[in-house]
Amino acid sequence: MRSTPLIVATAALALAACGEKTSSTTITTNSETGTVTTTGDAPPTAASLNMQPGKWETTITTLETKTSGLPAGAPAGMTPPKPGPQTITACVTPDMASKGPGEMLKNAKADCTIKNNTYTGGKIASEASCKLPNGTMTVNTTGSYSPTEVTYDTESTMSAGPINATTKTHTVSRRVGECS
């Protein structure tokens, strides 16, 4: 039940929200065809929101996990992340920043719909639902942003057959310098 690609895509979506913009957008991705469909307002891109390209460090801290339906002695790959931080560093180029969240979500390799995206007044709110190879996942995100920092909380719920998992995370992304 690893959700790292989707967590990274969610982080990328939040990173795209660095500026003053409201978007009532629905973004749908198709993992089979790679198609991204957008309805409603055009989603903001990091460039249009003044996100500063450069080296960004994202720390995702798992605050809580709850699971049910796991078989006794389940392998580690089936269990949700244990509480604690996970840090990812990425170089965000001006080209990457200009592509927006739909392009970034293609890399999640999931069929997702992101709706109720709001990025305004320094606040973030969004809802996502994804069809995964063996189940579904919903993600609700709230937080705040500036051109050099994004902070948000996420609650995700995954269901795969009899297995259900809920994970709460806190994420902080900061621009830490120029790309090397």
Side-chain angles (χ1 to χ4, degrees):
M1 300 226 1
R2 292 191 184 266
S3 58
T4 301
L6 190 55
I7 289 171
V8 171
T10 303
L13 179 63
L15 280 175
C18 298
E20 299 286 333
K21 173 86 173 176
T22 299
S23 176
S24 57
T25 306
T26 299
I27 303 168
T28 304
T29 59
N30 182 312
S31 62
E32 203 170 294
T33 64
T35 303
V36 177
T37 305
T38 302
T39 56
D41 298 336
T45 64
S48 71
L49 298 173
N50 300 318
M51 176 183 171
Q52 292 185 10
K55 185 176 181 180
W56 281 73
E57 182 178 89
T58 301
T59 300
I60 303 167
T61 303
T62 301
L63 304 173
E64 177 183 332
T65 59
K66 294 179 184 178
T67 59
S68 64
L70 285 174
M78 291 182 65
T79 58
K82 290 185 173 24
Q86 175 183 2
T87 300
I88 302 163
T89 303
C91 176
V92 177
T93 67
D95 182 55
M96 291 167 69
S98 71
K99 292 188 178 176
E103 188 69 26
M104 294 177 213
L105 285 170
K106 280 185 186 181
N107 298 326
K109 304 283 191 237
D111 296 322
C112 296
T113 298
I114 297 177
K115 59 184 180 177
N116 299 330
N117 287 316
T118 303
Y119 306 104
T120 187
K123 301 292 181 195
I124 299 167
S126 72
E127 299 172 30
S129 60
C130 295
K131 181 180 175 189
L132 304 174
N134 297 320
T136 61
M137 179 178 206
T138 59
V139 180
N140 291 307
T141 304
T142 58
S144 61
Y145 63 88
S146 74
T148 59
E149 183 173 322
V150 181
T151 302
Y152 59 96
D153 294 304
T154 302
E155 183 170 339
S156 61
T157 303
M158 295 179 69
S159 297
I163 302 169
N164 293 297
T166 299
T167 304
K168 293 181 181 180
T169 60
H170 178 73
T171 302
V172 177
S173 293
R174 290 187 177 102
R175 186 181 185 282
V176 294
E178 298 299 323
C179 295
S180 30

